Amino acid sequence: MRIELEKRPDVSKLYTFVSPLLALVLTLAVGAIMFAMLGKDPVEALDAFFVEPLLEVWSLHELAIKAAPLILIAVGLAVCYRSNNWNIGAEGQFTIGAITGSYLPIVFYDWHSPLVLPLMLLLGALGGALFAAIPALLKAHFNTNEILTSLMLVYIAQLFLDWLIRGAWRDPQGFNFPVSRDFAPEAVLPAIWEESGRAHWAFLFAIIAAIGVWFMLRYTLKGFEIVVLGQSERAGRFAGFSSRKMIWFSFLFSGALAGLAGIAEVSGSIGHLQPAISPGYGFTAIIVAFLGRLNPLGVIASGLVLALTYLGGEAAQLSLGVSDKVTRVFQGLLLFFVLSCDTLIYYKIRIVWSRVRGGVA
Protein backbone atom coordinates (compact mmCIF):
# COMPACT_ATOMS: atom_id res chain seq x y z
CA MET A 1 0.00 0.00 0.00
CA ARG A 2 1.20 3.47 -0.79
CA ILE A 3 -0.31 6.95 -0.58
CA GLU A 4 -0.21 9.26 -3.57
CA LEU A 5 -1.29 12.84 -4.14
CA GLU A 6 -3.36 13.39 -7.27
CA LYS A 7 -3.76 16.95 -8.54
CA ARG A 8 -7.37 18.14 -8.61
CA PRO A 9 -8.60 19.39 -12.00
CA ASP A 10 -10.43 22.32 -10.37
CA VAL A 11 -9.77 24.19 -7.13
CA SER A 12 -12.83 25.03 -5.03
CA LYS A 13 -13.10 28.74 -4.22
CA LEU A 14 -15.13 27.87 -1.12
CA TYR A 15 -12.42 25.56 0.21
CA THR A 16 -9.79 28.20 -0.56
CA PHE A 17 -11.68 30.67 1.64
CA VAL A 18 -12.45 28.16 4.41
CA SER A 19 -8.94 26.67 4.55
CA PRO A 20 -7.31 29.35 6.78
CA LEU A 21 -10.31 29.28 9.14
CA LEU A 22 -10.09 25.49 9.39
CA ALA A 23 -6.35 25.74 10.05
CA LEU A 24 -7.03 28.22 12.85
CA VAL A 25 -9.67 25.94 14.42
CA LEU A 26 -7.35 22.94 14.26
CA THR A 27 -4.56 25.00 15.84
CA LEU A 28 -6.84 25.97 18.72
CA ALA A 29 -7.93 22.35 19.19
CA VAL A 30 -4.37 21.02 19.33
CA GLY A 31 -3.41 23.97 21.54
CA ALA A 32 -6.16 23.02 23.99
CA ILE A 33 -4.80 19.47 24.11
CA MET A 34 -1.29 20.84 24.68
CA PHE A 35 -2.44 22.98 27.62
CA ALA A 36 -4.28 20.00 29.11
CA MET A 37 -1.08 17.94 28.91
CA LEU A 38 0.71 20.77 30.72
CA GLY A 39 -1.82 20.52 33.53
CA LYS A 40 -3.64 23.76 32.66
CA ASP A 41 -7.35 24.26 32.12
CA PRO A 42 -7.67 24.47 28.29
CA VAL A 43 -10.56 26.94 28.37
CA GLU A 44 -8.80 29.22 30.84
CA ALA A 45 -5.54 28.95 28.90
CA LEU A 46 -7.07 29.78 25.53
CA ASP A 47 -8.97 32.66 27.12
CA ALA A 48 -5.71 34.05 28.52
CA PHE A 49 -4.01 33.54 25.17
CA PHE A 50 -6.59 34.93 22.75
CA VAL A 51 -9.23 36.90 24.67
CA GLU A 52 -7.60 38.75 27.58
CA PRO A 53 -5.21 40.75 25.33
CA LEU A 54 -8.24 42.28 23.57
CA LEU A 55 -10.05 43.58 26.64
CA GLU A 56 -7.99 46.72 27.35
CA VAL A 57 -7.35 49.75 25.12
CA TRP A 58 -3.63 49.81 25.91
CA SER A 59 -3.33 46.13 24.86
CA LEU A 60 -4.98 46.95 21.54
CA HIS A 61 -2.21 49.48 21.03
CA GLU A 62 0.33 46.74 21.78
CA LEU A 63 -1.45 44.53 19.27
CA ALA A 64 -1.02 47.23 16.60
CA ILE A 65 2.67 47.60 17.49
CA LYS A 66 3.33 43.89 17.01
CA ALA A 67 1.13 43.63 13.92
CA ALA A 68 2.83 46.50 12.08
CA PRO A 69 6.15 44.76 11.25
CA LEU A 70 4.38 41.48 10.52
CA ILE A 71 2.05 43.11 7.98
CA LEU A 72 4.77 45.22 6.37
CA ILE A 73 7.11 42.26 5.91
CA ALA A 74 4.36 39.84 4.84
CA VAL A 75 3.05 42.22 2.15
CA GLY A 76 6.50 42.24 0.55
CA LEU A 77 6.82 38.47 0.91
CA ALA A 78 3.41 38.01 -0.74
CA VAL A 79 4.76 39.75 -3.85
CA CYS A 80 7.85 37.52 -3.78
CA TYR A 81 5.96 34.28 -3.33
CA ARG A 82 3.29 35.08 -5.92
CA SER A 83 6.10 35.65 -8.43
CA ASN A 84 7.63 32.27 -7.46
CA ASN A 85 10.66 33.79 -5.73
CA TRP A 86 11.24 32.43 -2.23
CA ASN A 87 12.68 35.08 0.04
CA ILE A 88 13.19 33.41 3.44
CA GLY A 89 15.62 36.05 4.73
CA ALA A 90 13.25 38.87 5.69
CA GLU A 91 14.52 38.66 9.26
CA GLY A 92 17.99 39.65 8.06
CA GLN A 93 16.62 42.43 5.86
CA PHE A 94 14.62 43.67 8.86
CA THR A 95 17.84 43.78 10.91
CA ILE A 96 19.90 45.54 8.25
CA GLY A 97 17.11 48.09 7.75
CA ALA A 98 17.21 48.82 11.46
CA ILE A 99 21.00 49.29 11.30
CA THR A 100 21.14 51.54 8.23
CA GLY A 101 18.17 53.59 9.43
CA SER A 102 19.82 54.11 12.81
CA TYR A 103 23.00 55.53 11.29
CA LEU A 104 21.84 59.15 11.50
CA PRO A 105 20.57 59.23 15.12
CA ILE A 106 23.61 57.31 16.40
CA VAL A 107 26.52 58.74 14.41
CA PHE A 108 25.10 62.27 13.93
CA TYR A 109 23.32 62.42 17.28
CA ASP A 110 23.85 66.21 17.51
CA TRP A 111 21.90 66.85 14.31
CA HIS A 112 18.37 67.96 15.23
CA SER A 113 16.19 68.50 12.19
CA PRO A 114 12.71 67.55 10.92
CA LEU A 115 14.52 65.75 8.10
CA VAL A 116 16.07 63.18 10.44
CA LEU A 117 13.07 60.84 10.68
CA PRO A 118 12.17 60.79 6.94
CA LEU A 119 15.82 60.13 6.08
CA MET A 120 15.96 57.34 8.66
CA LEU A 121 12.94 55.62 7.10
CA LEU A 122 14.43 56.04 3.63
CA LEU A 123 17.80 54.62 4.72
CA GLY A 124 16.07 51.70 6.45
CA ALA A 125 14.15 50.75 3.30
CA LEU A 126 17.28 51.21 1.19
CA GLY A 127 19.36 49.01 3.51
CA GLY A 128 16.78 46.22 3.45
CA ALA A 129 16.55 46.39 -0.35
CA LEU A 130 20.33 46.27 -0.82
CA PHE A 131 20.64 43.29 1.52
CA ALA A 132 17.87 41.49 -0.40
CA ALA A 133 19.77 42.27 -3.62
CA ILE A 134 22.42 39.71 -2.63
CA PRO A 135 20.20 36.59 -3.03
CA ALA A 136 18.54 38.28 -6.04
CA LEU A 137 21.94 38.67 -7.75
CA LEU A 138 22.94 35.10 -6.95
CA LYS A 139 19.69 33.66 -8.29
CA ALA A 140 19.34 35.88 -11.36
CA HIS A 141 22.90 35.50 -12.61
CA PHE A 142 24.24 32.29 -11.03
CA ASN A 143 21.03 30.26 -10.61
CA THR A 144 21.71 29.86 -6.89
CA ASN A 145 18.95 28.59 -4.61
CA GLU A 146 17.50 31.74 -3.06
CA ILE A 147 16.02 29.87 -0.09
CA LEU A 148 19.47 28.92 1.19
CA THR A 149 21.23 32.20 0.43
CA SER A 150 18.54 34.46 1.89
CA LEU A 151 18.27 32.29 5.01
CA MET A 152 22.03 32.18 5.64
CA LEU A 153 22.26 35.96 5.33
CA VAL A 154 19.96 36.27 8.36
CA TYR A 155 22.75 35.09 10.65
CA ILE A 156 25.25 37.47 9.06
CA ALA A 157 22.90 40.40 9.69
CA GLN A 158 22.28 39.43 13.31
CA LEU A 159 25.97 38.94 14.07
CA PHE A 160 26.80 42.24 12.38
CA LEU A 161 24.26 44.02 14.60
CA ASP A 162 25.71 42.34 17.70
CA TRP A 163 29.25 43.36 16.68
CA LEU A 164 28.22 46.99 16.12
CA ILE A 165 26.35 47.34 19.40
CA ARG A 166 29.15 45.77 21.42
CA GLY A 167 31.75 47.84 19.59
CA ALA A 168 31.66 51.05 17.58
CA TRP A 169 28.03 51.96 18.29
CA ARG A 170 27.96 51.18 22.01
CA ASP A 171 26.69 54.08 24.10
CA PRO A 172 29.76 55.61 25.82
CA GLN A 173 27.50 56.62 28.72
CA GLY A 174 25.61 53.32 28.86
CA PHE A 175 27.56 51.81 31.80
CA ASN A 176 29.10 49.24 29.44
CA PHE A 177 25.73 47.71 28.51
CA PRO A 178 25.46 46.60 24.83
CA VAL A 179 23.05 49.30 23.67
CA SER A 180 23.40 52.33 21.42
CA ARG A 181 22.60 55.93 22.32
CA ASP A 182 18.94 56.68 22.86
CA PHE A 183 17.42 58.32 19.82
CA ALA A 184 16.72 62.06 19.99
CA PRO A 185 13.04 63.10 19.94
CA GLU A 186 13.36 64.06 16.26
CA ALA A 187 14.34 60.46 15.47
CA VAL A 188 11.42 58.79 17.24
CA LEU A 189 8.39 57.66 15.24
CA PRO A 190 5.41 59.48 16.82
CA ALA A 191 2.44 57.74 18.41
CA ILE A 192 -0.90 57.71 16.60
CA TRP A 193 -2.96 58.51 19.71
CA GLU A 194 -0.58 59.08 22.59
CA GLU A 195 -3.30 59.63 25.21
CA SER A 196 -4.52 56.02 25.08
CA GLY A 197 -1.40 54.02 24.18
CA ARG A 198 1.92 53.90 22.37
CA ALA A 199 0.95 52.50 18.96
CA HIS A 200 2.90 54.46 16.37
CA TRP A 201 2.75 55.35 12.69
CA ALA A 202 4.29 52.05 11.55
CA PHE A 203 0.82 50.48 11.77
CA LEU A 204 -0.53 53.09 9.35
CA PHE A 205 2.46 52.47 7.06
CA ALA A 206 1.57 48.77 7.08
CA ILE A 207 -2.09 49.38 6.20
CA ILE A 208 -1.16 51.81 3.40
CA ALA A 209 1.40 49.34 2.01
CA ALA A 210 -1.13 46.49 2.05
CA ILE A 211 -3.78 48.53 0.24
CA GLY A 212 -1.24 49.87 -2.27
CA VAL A 213 0.13 46.41 -3.11
CA TRP A 214 -3.40 45.00 -3.39
CA PHE A 215 -4.21 47.72 -5.93
CA MET A 216 -0.97 47.00 -7.81
CA LEU A 217 -1.65 43.26 -8.02
CA ARG A 218 -5.25 43.72 -9.10
CA TYR A 219 -5.22 46.69 -11.45
CA THR A 220 -1.74 47.26 -12.89
CA LEU A 221 0.42 45.65 -15.55
CA LYS A 222 3.15 44.95 -12.97
CA GLY A 223 0.63 43.02 -10.89
CA PHE A 224 -0.40 41.01 -13.95
CA GLU A 225 3.27 40.30 -14.67
CA ILE A 226 3.80 39.04 -11.10
CA VAL A 227 0.83 36.67 -11.34
CA VAL A 228 1.69 35.34 -14.81
CA LEU A 229 5.37 34.69 -14.07
CA GLY A 230 4.43 33.12 -10.75
CA GLN A 231 2.04 30.67 -12.38
CA SER A 232 4.10 29.89 -15.48
CA GLU A 233 7.50 31.28 -16.35
CA ARG A 234 7.13 29.93 -19.90
CA ALA A 235 3.82 31.76 -20.38
CA GLY A 236 5.43 34.90 -19.00
CA ARG A 237 8.21 34.72 -21.58
CA PHE A 238 5.64 34.42 -24.38
CA ALA A 239 3.96 37.55 -22.98
CA GLY A 240 7.27 39.41 -23.13
CA PHE A 241 7.95 39.41 -19.38
CA SER A 242 11.46 38.88 -17.98
CA SER A 243 11.82 36.41 -15.13
CA ARG A 244 15.25 37.87 -14.30
CA LYS A 245 13.81 41.38 -13.90
CA MET A 246 11.03 39.94 -11.75
CA ILE A 247 13.61 38.33 -9.45
CA TRP A 248 15.20 41.74 -8.92
CA PHE A 249 11.90 43.54 -8.48
CA SER A 250 10.37 41.09 -6.00
CA PHE A 251 13.49 40.82 -3.83
CA LEU A 252 14.20 44.54 -3.78
CA PHE A 253 10.55 45.34 -3.04
CA SER A 254 10.19 42.82 -0.22
CA GLY A 255 13.58 43.79 1.20
CA ALA A 256 12.64 47.47 1.22
CA LEU A 257 9.43 46.78 3.17
CA ALA A 258 11.30 44.53 5.62
CA GLY A 259 13.96 47.24 6.11
CA LEU A 260 11.25 49.85 6.65
CA ALA A 261 9.68 47.59 9.25
CA GLY A 262 13.06 47.26 10.97
CA ILE A 263 13.78 50.96 11.38
CA ALA A 264 10.14 51.65 12.29
CA GLU A 265 10.34 49.04 15.05
CA VAL A 266 13.59 50.47 16.44
CA SER A 267 12.49 54.11 16.15
CA GLY A 268 8.89 53.68 17.32
CA SER A 269 8.99 50.85 19.87
CA ILE A 270 12.53 50.58 21.26
CA GLY A 271 14.18 53.99 20.90
CA HIS A 272 17.72 52.67 20.43
CA LEU A 273 19.62 49.77 18.90
CA GLN A 274 20.31 46.64 20.93
CA PRO A 275 21.46 43.09 20.12
CA ALA A 276 17.89 41.72 20.07
CA ILE A 277 15.40 43.89 18.19
CA SER A 278 13.02 41.23 16.89
CA PRO A 279 11.28 38.19 18.41
CA GLY A 280 11.35 36.62 14.94
CA TYR A 281 9.07 38.92 12.95
CA GLY A 282 10.76 38.04 9.66
CA PHE A 283 10.06 34.33 10.05
CA THR A 284 6.58 34.75 11.52
CA ALA A 285 5.70 36.98 8.55
CA ILE A 286 6.04 33.89 6.33
CA ILE A 287 3.11 32.36 8.25
CA VAL A 288 1.25 35.67 7.98
CA ALA A 289 1.69 35.72 4.20
CA PHE A 290 0.39 32.18 3.70
CA LEU A 291 -2.44 32.52 6.23
CA GLY A 292 -3.52 35.64 4.33
CA ARG A 293 -3.57 33.59 1.07
CA LEU A 294 -0.78 35.83 -0.34
CA ASN A 295 -3.43 38.54 -0.62
CA PRO A 296 -2.31 41.89 0.87
CA LEU A 297 -5.76 42.55 2.35
CA GLY A 298 -5.82 39.07 3.86
CA VAL A 299 -2.36 39.76 5.26
CA ILE A 300 -3.82 42.56 7.41
CA ALA A 301 -6.18 40.11 9.14
CA SER A 302 -3.59 37.34 9.48
CA GLY A 303 -1.02 39.84 10.77
CA LEU A 304 -3.35 40.81 13.60
CA VAL A 305 -3.95 37.11 14.40
CA LEU A 306 -0.24 36.32 14.62
CA ALA A 307 0.40 39.50 16.59
CA LEU A 308 -2.21 38.24 19.03
CA THR A 309 -0.14 35.07 19.58
CA TYR A 310 2.79 37.24 20.75
CA LEU A 311 0.56 39.17 23.16
CA GLY A 312 -1.20 36.01 24.30
CA GLY A 313 2.11 34.30 24.94
CA GLU A 314 3.18 37.15 27.21
CA ALA A 315 -0.17 37.11 29.02
CA ALA A 316 -0.05 33.32 29.44
CA GLN A 317 3.42 33.53 30.96
CA LEU A 318 2.13 35.90 33.64
CA SER A 319 -1.26 34.35 34.39
CA LEU A 320 -0.53 30.63 33.82
CA GLY A 321 3.22 30.38 34.35
CA VAL A 322 3.87 28.62 31.03
CA SER A 323 7.01 28.95 28.93
CA ASP A 324 7.41 31.66 26.32
CA LYS A 325 8.03 28.83 23.82
CA VAL A 326 4.27 28.26 23.74
CA THR A 327 3.99 31.18 21.32
CA ARG A 328 6.36 29.50 18.87
CA VAL A 329 4.42 26.24 19.21
CA PHE A 330 1.17 27.98 18.27
CA GLN A 331 2.80 29.68 15.30
CA GLY A 332 4.34 26.42 14.12
CA LEU A 333 1.03 24.58 14.46
CA LEU A 334 -0.71 27.29 12.50
CA LEU A 335 1.81 27.09 9.63
CA PHE A 336 1.59 23.29 9.63
CA PHE A 337 -2.20 23.25 9.39
CA VAL A 338 -2.30 26.05 6.80
CA LEU A 339 0.05 24.12 4.52
CA SER A 340 -1.75 20.84 5.21
CA CYS A 341 -5.15 22.29 4.36
CA ASP A 342 -3.75 23.93 1.24
CA THR A 343 -2.34 20.58 0.12
CA LEU A 344 -5.82 19.02 0.37
CA ILE A 345 -7.26 21.91 -1.65
CA TYR A 346 -4.97 21.27 -4.61
CA TYR A 347 -4.53 17.49 -4.31
CA LYS A 348 -6.64 14.41 -3.61
CA ILE A 349 -5.25 11.63 -1.45
CA ARG A 350 -5.28 8.30 -3.26
CA ILE A 351 -4.41 4.96 -1.67
CA VAL A 352 -2.79 2.51 -4.07
CA TRP A 353 -2.86 -1.15 -3.14
CA SER A 354 -0.15 -3.33 -4.66
CA ARG A 355 -0.59 -7.10 -4.82
CA VAL A 356 2.06 -9.52 -3.59
CA ARG A 357 3.37 -11.79 -6.34
CA GLY A 358 5.82 -14.60 -5.82
CA GLY A 359 6.46 -13.46 -2.27
CA VAL A 360 7.72 -10.05 -3.45
CA ALA A 361 5.57 -6.91 -3.16
Side-chain angles (χ1 to χ4, degrees):
M1 183 191 75
R2 67 179 186 273
I3 299 175
E4 293 182 350
L5 294 177
E6 181 180 340
K7 193 171 181 63
R8 297 181 186 271
D10 297 308
V11 177
S12 169
K13 292 184 177 180
L14 176 62
Y15 290 165
T16 302
F17 175 77
V18 171
S19 173
L21 302 178
L22 177 60
L24 186 58
V25 170
L26 291 172
T27 300
L28 293 176
V30 175
I33 295 173
M34 176 186 67
F35 281 123
M37 294 176 65
L38 291 172
K40 309 295 181 182
D41 180 7
V43 175
E44 180 185 351
L46 291 177
D47 178 75
F49 215 94
F50 293 103
V51 179
E52 285 184 11
L54 301 176
L55 300 181
E56 300 288 343
V57 173
W58 68 267
S59 62
L60 294 178
H61 278 259
E62 297 301 313
L63 182 69
I65 289 173
K66 295 187 182 301
L70 293 176
I71 296 171
L72 266 175
I73 299 170
V75 166
L77 292 181
V79 171
C80 254
Y81 298 161
R82 292 188 71 164
S83 66
N84 201 29
N85 292 294
W86 301 95
N87 180 7
I88 309 298
E91 182 78 2
Q93 294 142 30
F94 176 96
T95 302
I96 293 298
I99 293 171
T100 55
S102 300
Y103 180 78
L104 287 178
I106 293 177
V107 177
F108 298 98
Y109 57 90
D110 286 331
W111 185 36
H112 303 285
S113 168
L115 294 175
V116 171
L117 186 57
L119 287 174
M120 286 171 58
L121 299 177
L122 182 62
L123 286 173
L126 182 61
L130 290 177
F131 202 62
I134 300 174
L137 173 68
L138 294 173
K139 179 180 183 180
H141 296 278
F142 301 97
N143 199 29
T144 308
N145 188 304
E146 74 274 25
I147 295 176
L148 295 177
T149 54
S150 60
L151 180 60
M152 293 300 100
L153 284 168
V154 172
Y155 303 102
I156 294 175
Q158 291 174 339
L159 291 171
F160 180 59
L161 171 63
D162 190 79
W163 174 76
L164 272 178
I165 297 305
R166 298 179 188 277
W169 284 9
R170 188 201 299 259
D171 184 2
Q173 299 178 344
F175 301 101
N176 214 31
F177 286 102
V179 294
S180 73
R181 298 176 184 271
D182 288 336
F183 291 177
E186 294 85 0
V188 174
L189 203 60
I192 300 173
W193 189 11
E194 194 170 0
E195 290 76 12
S196 59
R198 65 189 191 103
H200 47 77
W201 280 78
F203 185 70
L204 294 182
F205 295 162
I207 300 300
I208 293 170
I211 295 173
V213 172
W214 171 82
F215 182 86
M216 178 188 72
L217 291 173
R218 190 173 180 86
Y219 294 110
T220 68
L221 178 60
K222 178 58 72 174
F224 179 69
E225 181 182 350
I226 290 169
V227 173
V228 171
L229 284 171
Q231 293 179 350
S232 172
E233 185 178 337
R234 186 165 179 263
R237 286 200 303 268
F238 279 115
F241 300 143
S242 169
S243 59
R244 180 173 291 181
K245 289 181 179 178
M246 181 52 62
I247 292 171
W248 280 102
F249 173 80
S250 60
F251 268 92
L252 292 178
F253 185 82
S254 62
L257 287 183
L260 178 62
I263 185 54
E265 176 70 11
V266 170
S267 173
S269 303
I270 303 174
H272 57 254
L273 269 185
Q274 58 191 30
I277 59 173
S278 167
Y281 288 135
F283 295 118
T284 306
I286 299 172
I287 307 175
V288 172
F290 280 105
L291 185 62
R293 319 303 299 162
L294 302 183
N295 183 313
L297 298 184
V299 162
I300 296 175
S302 58
L304 291 169
V305 171
L306 267 297
L308 184 58
T309 64
Y310 281 117
L311 279 186
E314 294 171 358
Q317 287 180 64
L318 295 174
S319 60
L320 302 176
V322 297
S323 168
D324 60 342
K325 302 299 185 293
V326 171
T327 299
R328 295 298 179 90
V329 171
F330 265 106
Q331 293 173 352
L333 285 172
L334 190 54
L335 179 61
F336 172 78
F337 285 121
V338 166
L339 297 179
S340 300
C341 292
D342 280 357
T343 300
L344 296 179
I345 289 174
Y346 292 101
Y347 297 91
K348 293 186 291 186
I349 296 177
R350 191 160 63 93
I351 300 177
V352 179
W353 297 90
S354 56
R355 295 183 178 180
V356 178
R357 293 182 180 180
V360 180

